[in-house]
């Protein structure tokens, strides 16, 4: 696990501020186009980012068949896919809005094989080509944060999940509270769209400040109905 040995660098802080400030698909495309090449070597290392590892651990804790297809939502450069592959998940698709980020993900390998079966360029706030019931698992780290997806996006993921599929969606804690994810997901469960809903609080950074909700994530874990 990457450990943070001190405060985030100013460059990492600025990158994070830009990410939170980006509103809408075009702003996010521009941001990630400029960030793709240095996202891992700069931001992840400089900030002591452990979010992707935390979400994957929670997901794999209850994912019983690693040979079944898993969708990585907001896959970026492929760090979540890399962690899934290390833990034995063998069929992984990724979806992201940024072709530059996807190009980095396409280069990811594990044990000599590409991490991803396929990579999909799409804006999840619009129309996508995700097939209904295609995935036995869906995981996301970093997509549900300020300026990107609200809770309504989860309906598209539920449709792409097969009955009983496991979903583990990391949601920035401040964003989680602001947009009422807990109530929204609770209503989804009451309406019979999902079951077994629970939440886990996990750090986004290796030395997360307990007083700053932007340094923590609520991971929503549930099964598709």
């Amino acid at each position: 696990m990457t450990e943070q040995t001190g405060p985030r660098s100013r460059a990492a802080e600025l990158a994070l501020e830009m990410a939170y400030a980006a509103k809408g698909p075009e702003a996010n495309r521009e941001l990630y186009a400029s960030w793709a090449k240095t996202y891992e070597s700069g931001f992840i290392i400089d900030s002591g980012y452990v979010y992707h590892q935390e979400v994957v651990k929670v997901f794999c804790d209850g994912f019983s068949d690693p040979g079944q297809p898993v969708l990585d939502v907001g896959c970026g450069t492929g760090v979540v896919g890399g962690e899934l592959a290390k833990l034995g998940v063998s069929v992984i698709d990724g979806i992201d809005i940024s072709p530059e980020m996807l190009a980095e993900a396409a280069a990811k390998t594990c044990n000599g094989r590409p991490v991803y079966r396929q990579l999909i360029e799409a804006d999840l706030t619009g129309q996508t080509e995700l097939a209904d019931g295609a995935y036995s698992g869906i995981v996301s780290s970093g997509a549900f944060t300020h300026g990107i997806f609200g809770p309504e996006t989860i309906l598209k993921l539920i449709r792409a999940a097969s009955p009983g599929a496991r979903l583990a969606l990391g949601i920035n804690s401040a964003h989680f509270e602001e947009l009422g994810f807990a109530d929204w997901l609770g209503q989804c469960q009451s309406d019979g769209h999902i079951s077994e809903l629970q939440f886990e609080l996990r750090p986004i950074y290796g030395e997360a400040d307990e007083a700053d909700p932007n340094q923590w994530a609520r991971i929503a874990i549930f099964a598709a109905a």
Side-chain angles (χ1 to χ4, degrees), residues 125-171:
T125 64
Q127 297 295 316
T128 73
E129 297 180 2
L130 294 176
D132 289 353
Y135 296 99
S136 296
I138 298 180
V139 61
S140 181
S141 166
F144 286 89
T145 190
H146 303 283
I148 308 180
F149 302 139
E152 65 285 347
T153 305
I154 296 173
L155 284 175
K156 295 181 180 181
L157 304 184
I158 294 170
R159 284 196 294 271
S162 60
R166 180 172 175 82
L167 289 85
L169 310 179
I171 305 163

Side-chain angles (χ1 to χ4, degrees), residues 55-96:
V55 172
V56 169
K57 283 190 292 186
V58 168
F59 173 76
C60 286
D61 257 357
F63 188 58
S64 59
D65 193 344
Q68 292 300 307
V70 172
L71 179 66
D72 176 7
V73 177
C75 66
T77 62
V79 294
V80 166
E83 294 296 321
L84 288 168
K86 287 177 192 175
L87 292 177
V89 179
S90 58
V91 184
I92 309 167
D93 292 348
I95 185 168
D96 200 276

Side-chain angles (χ1 to χ4, degrees), residues 110-133:
C110 182
N111 297 324
R113 297 177 57 242
V115 163
Y116 290 96
R117 176 179 67 173
Q118 68 170 327
L119 291 161
I120 304 159
E121 182 186 342
D123 170 15
L124 275 171
T125 64
Q127 297 295 316
T128 73
E129 297 180 2
L130 294 176
D132 289 353

